[in-house]
Amino acid sequence: MESVEKTLLERTSVRRYEREQIPEETMNFIFDAIRNTPTSYNGQQFSVIDIDDQELKEKLYALTNQKQLKTCNRLLIFCSDYNKITLLAKKKGIDVPPFTNTMDGVIIGIIDASLAMMSAVVAAQAAGLGSNCVGYLRTVDPAKVAELLKLPKGVFVVCGLALGIPREHPDLKPKQPNETVFFKNCYCQNTDELVENLDKYDEVVKQYNATRAGGTSTNDWVAHILDYYRHAMEYRILDYLKAQGYNIEK
């Protein structure tokens, strides 16, 4: 096992993997870490689909064009899940409140699934595996992904996680400095200083992208991320959530 420091501070996103199988004891360790994730109310409003079927991985790759989906050994799909508690409540004759019709209900499921995925990332990294979070599985074609995964009402994809023996070791991406992430007692009140630090970080990212191994670009941080936002505005996630039984009202 890797040290805590190495696991948390040297993590990179790996997209190319060896054909070697992940040992089952390693997968069981990852599963145990996922199950021990802290969740809202201990409601555990998430579930995970473990995909090792290459044909299914190829179909998901065809939708997303994300190569890590077909080259990884295991693909974990983290879902918000209110189906399980609804099924048991119905068996026991307990009324189910329309919690999934509220933004809080949607957010809680997303938080639980996200925390579970981070538990998996840390466990995989500690075990020497490579991983890559694939958010595009949530947005590329939600209805088709739900069909392929046979998702019932009350369940929707939050994010995918590709796992495997790493074939590459990407450069560590620069993250925002402490000054733009951590604020004492209240949100930063010195906007000028905040913008100045963000501008410096923008230049750091631009320099990283211009010199990194494995392919360079002219991307900075701010304009590049805003382009993602513009593209994401085309997604119709609300329609998909309604199709999955989330009729958000408040």
Side-chain angles (χ1 to χ4, degrees):
M1 287 290 172
E2 302 285 1
S3 69
V4 173
E5 181 177 8
K6 182 178 177 64
T7 295
L8 294 176
L9 301 186
E10 297 184 18
R11 184 209 64 80
T12 59
S13 293
V14 174
R15 292 175 173 82
R16 297 176 68 247
Y17 305 93
E18 304 290 353
R19 294 185 181 276
E20 183 181 349
Q21 297 285 316
I22 299 174
E24 280 306 301
E25 57 267 29
T26 301
M27 289 305 305
N28 288 334
F29 167 63
I30 294 171
F31 292 157
D32 285 344
I34 291 170
R35 291 192 306 105
N36 196 43
T37 296
T39 63
S40 299
Y41 321 123
N42 194 36
Q44 302 160 75
Q45 287 91 190
F46 76 92
S47 56
V48 184
I49 300 174
D50 173 23
I51 300 175
D52 62 1
D53 181 87
Q54 189 62 32
E55 183 179 353
L56 179 53
K57 288 190 289 180
E58 295 277 354
K59 289 179 180 178
L60 294 171
Y61 163 72
L63 284 175
T64 63
N65 199 34
Q66 300 284 306
K67 62 184 178 183
Q68 59 270 39
L69 298 183
K70 67 175 181 178
T71 63
C72 68
N73 180 246
R74 304 285 273 269
L75 175 61
L76 304 184
I77 309 292
F78 290 81
C79 301
S80 171
D81 188 350
Y82 286 94
N83 177 61
K84 293 182 291 185
I85 196 166
T86 299
L87 290 174
L88 183 57
K90 287 181 177 178
K91 178 182 178 181
K92 300 174 79 70
I94 302 173
D95 181 60
V96 179
F99 189 45
T100 55
N101 293 350
T102 69
M103 276 304 301
D104 194 40
V106 175
I107 289 170
I108 282 175
I110 293 172
I111 290 172
D112 284 2
S114 300
L115 289 172
M117 184 177 68
M118 197 59 215
S119 293
V121 169
V122 172
Q125 191 80 11
L129 298 181
S131 67
N132 182 254
C133 302
V134 187
Y136 200 29
L137 281 169
R138 180 186 71 256
T139 57
V140 61
D141 188 342
K144 183 61 178 179
V145 172
E147 176 188 341
L148 288 172
L149 301 180
K150 300 180 173 59
L151 301 184
K153 299 289 186 181
V155 179
F156 67 87
V157 171
V158 173
C159 199
L161 180 66
L163 297 175
I165 310 298
R167 184 181 287 186
E168 62 178 5
H169 298 281
D171 294 338
L172 189 65
K173 289 183 179 180
K175 302 297 184 181
Q176 289 185 26
N178 286 0
E179 292 79 9
T180 67
V181 177
F182 305 104
F183 309 128
K184 181 70 72 174
N185 296 321
C186 67
Y187 194 84
C188 178
Q189 300 297 292
N190 191 334
T191 300
D192 291 341
E193 183 179 350
L194 177 60
V195 172
E196 182 180 349
N197 286 327
L198 288 170
D199 194 32
K200 291 177 182 177
Y201 172 68
D202 199 55
E203 287 301 315
V204 169
V205 173
K206 188 173 182 179
Q207 178 65 20
Y208 164 81
N209 285 327
T211 59
R212 67 181 181 179
T216 61
S217 75
T218 60
N219 291 335
D220 60 1
W221 177 70
V222 62
H224 187 56
I225 298 303
L226 291 178
D227 280 343
Y228 278 124
Y229 292 172
R230 291 186 185 95
H231 179 66
M233 289 177 68
E234 301 173 6
Y235 303 147
R236 302 187 64 85
I237 301 302
L238 184 59
D239 291 342
Y240 166 61
L241 289 177
K242 289 180 178 178
Q244 287 302 110
Y246 291 73
N247 297 308
I248 303 168
E249 298 173 349
K250 57 184 178 179

